[in-house]
Amino acid sequence: MCNTATVLSLDDVVAIPELALRVIVEPAAERPLRWVTTSELTDPDRYLEGGELLLTTGLVRQDWAAYVRRIDRAGVAALGFGTGLSHAEVPRALVEAARAAGLSLVVVPEATPFIAVSKAVAGLLADQERESTVSALRVQQELTRVISRKDGPARVLGVLGRAARGSAGLVDAAGTPLVPARFRLPDAARRALGTLRSGGGAGAVTETGAEGTTVVQPLGAGVDGPFLVLLAPGPLDAVLRAVLVSTVALLTLDAERSRAAADAELRLRDQAAALVLDGAVDAGAGVAALLEGSPVPPRTVRVLRASGVPAGARERLAREHPEVLTTAPADGNIALLVADGAAREVADLLAGLRAGVGVGPAVPVADARTSDAAARTALAAADREVVDWDERFRGSVRAGLPDHAARALAASILRDLVAEPELLRTLHTYLAHLGHWQPAADELGIHRNTLRKRIARIEELTGRDVDTAAGRADLWIAVVIAREP
């Protein structure tokens, strides 16, 4: 596992017996130690970066209180005072100043050269770096080994979470957990997701607070996700950062590989569906056999036509209904080959995605083109809803008319009535009552004589006689088409 400490502590150095160091002022709080430096300047703070064990013999007379304030502001980890040269003992004023500042003060005996302290710290840092490198390599080897398994992403996230002594997961752009399914997203991660979705992030967002460190990293380009979320109890060290980079690379490659496989699967589904719709059922079944799960075209099918299908809907259908064959989008809609018993469920799923859906009649699979033609007619009447050909058009002359031809017919017959909606309503009501004057007049709320005058006007404008079968048929078909959405 990764060690979250990236530097040494003073205790690590004091614990080396050969140095014989002695702490005479304990620190108010633990300070990370990154290096050793020696200086006899009165103002060494200008040459400090923070995290040093600063060694001095007090060669120059000092205002120790001011000296401690300066080096404390510079962020030194501790002060080591060499005795036996300029001073036999550590100056009392220095001890008091260090205690007041909460700065650790260590006595370096005369027998211990400062260079020995520097070499010892350098050795400890080298050992730690070597151990960290081995630890990181071990974790990265484990990541590489588990990613190839069927549940590779979940195992990779488990390795990363253990390495960080925290947890890791994948979420979508809305923050919904993907892997593992019960991954809990903290508020810090939700804020980071918002930043990334708004385009305000440079590629990853890290937030550190009282509850630890939260990292949100998109996998691949764009702001649509998925996103890797890492929750660690403390700051990330160099080793954990390296492990995080490896994890992101592996999960990104796995996601791209999965997307490529899903795209290939969709292309096969498109080919299988297109062959069946063209009447080549055996060829379509052969292509379908190459799909995961090897779906077999059912003996009785309904063809659905759907428009306004959102991105990713075909992938979702392939996951939730692998037996359904779909075509690629063309002319703004897709075709779906569905078993008769599952047609309504699939249609409702698409309608829930705000797609318009036309449902063709159940036919033998060899006649799928017939169901497809009816589904197209039903779709023309759908507006983000489900229209079933059986319910709306079955047995109707309208069902046999292509949409453009139907509208052209209605326009030619009713062209002089379009500006008079009351006459259109009158015509529909009169024909719906099979030419019975009184029921039609009652429904319209007008006198029979008024109705007769309106019908005479309609006959004049349309050139059709309502007392003939041909005239009445033309007018009924036209008015039904004109009332379609």
Side-chain angles (χ1 to χ4, degrees), residues 48-231:
L48 300 174
E49 295 181 351
E52 297 91 351
L53 169 58
L54 175 60
L55 304 178
T56 184
T57 63
L59 182 63
V60 180
R61 289 181 62 85
Q62 292 273 17
D63 177 348
W64 290 115
Y67 177 82
V68 168
R69 284 195 298 272
R70 287 195 295 270
I71 64 173
D72 185 46
R73 282 196 301 268
V76 297
L79 176 64
F81 195 89
T83 58
L85 296 174
S86 304
H87 298 268
E89 300 289 340
V90 181
R92 181 175 297 276
L94 176 56
V95 175
E96 293 175 353
R99 187 172 291 118
L103 177 66
S104 185
L105 181 58
V106 180
V107 177
V108 184
E110 183 178 0
T112 302
F114 284 180
I115 189 64
V117 179
S118 296
K119 287 182 177 180
V121 170
L124 288 175
L125 290 171
D127 289 345
Q128 186 187 76
E129 183 176 353
R130 186 164 47 252
E131 180 183 346
S132 296
T133 301
V134 171
S135 176
L137 180 60
R138 190 162 51 242
V139 175
Q140 288 170 346
Q141 287 173 336
E142 185 177 4
L143 290 172
T144 305
R145 185 172 62 255
V146 301
I147 189 64
S148 60
R149 299 187 182 182
K150 185 175 182 180
D151 56 348
R155 290 178 177 270
V156 164
L157 292 168
V159 172
L160 176 62
R162 291 192 298 273
R165 294 186 173 90
S167 60
L170 289 181
V171 301
D172 63 15
T176 304
L178 300 174
V179 182
R182 296 185 178 181
F183 182 69
R184 296 183 64 183
L185 199 66
D187 291 340
R190 293 190 182 280
R191 290 193 294 271
L193 273 177
T195 299
L196 289 170
R197 288 199 304 267
S198 67
V205 175
T206 301
E207 184 171 319
T208 302
E211 297 181 355
T213 301
T214 300
V215 180
V216 179
Q217 167 82 52
L219 299 183
V223 295
D224 296 326
F227 297 88
L228 169 63
V229 180
L230 173 63
L231 311 175

Side-chain angles (χ1 to χ4, degrees), residues 370-387:
T370 300
S371 185
D372 185 31
R376 290 177 182 271
T377 299
L379 178 62
D383 181 18
R384 300 188 182 278
E385 60 179 343
V386 177
V387 174

Side-chain angles (χ1 to χ4, degrees), residues 305-360:
R305 279 280 170 178
S307 62
V309 178
R314 290 184 72 207
E315 290 87 340
R316 178 178 172 180
L317 280 166
R319 289 194 306 270
E320 299 182 11
H321 296 275
E323 75 285 358
V324 174
L325 299 177
T326 61
T327 63
D331 299 326
N333 64 69
I334 65 172
L336 304 91
L337 286 162
V338 187
D340 184 17
R344 191 69 204 189
E345 181 182 354
V346 174
D348 288 344
L349 185 154
L350 291 167
L353 299 175
R354 298 186 61 77
V357 185
V359 181

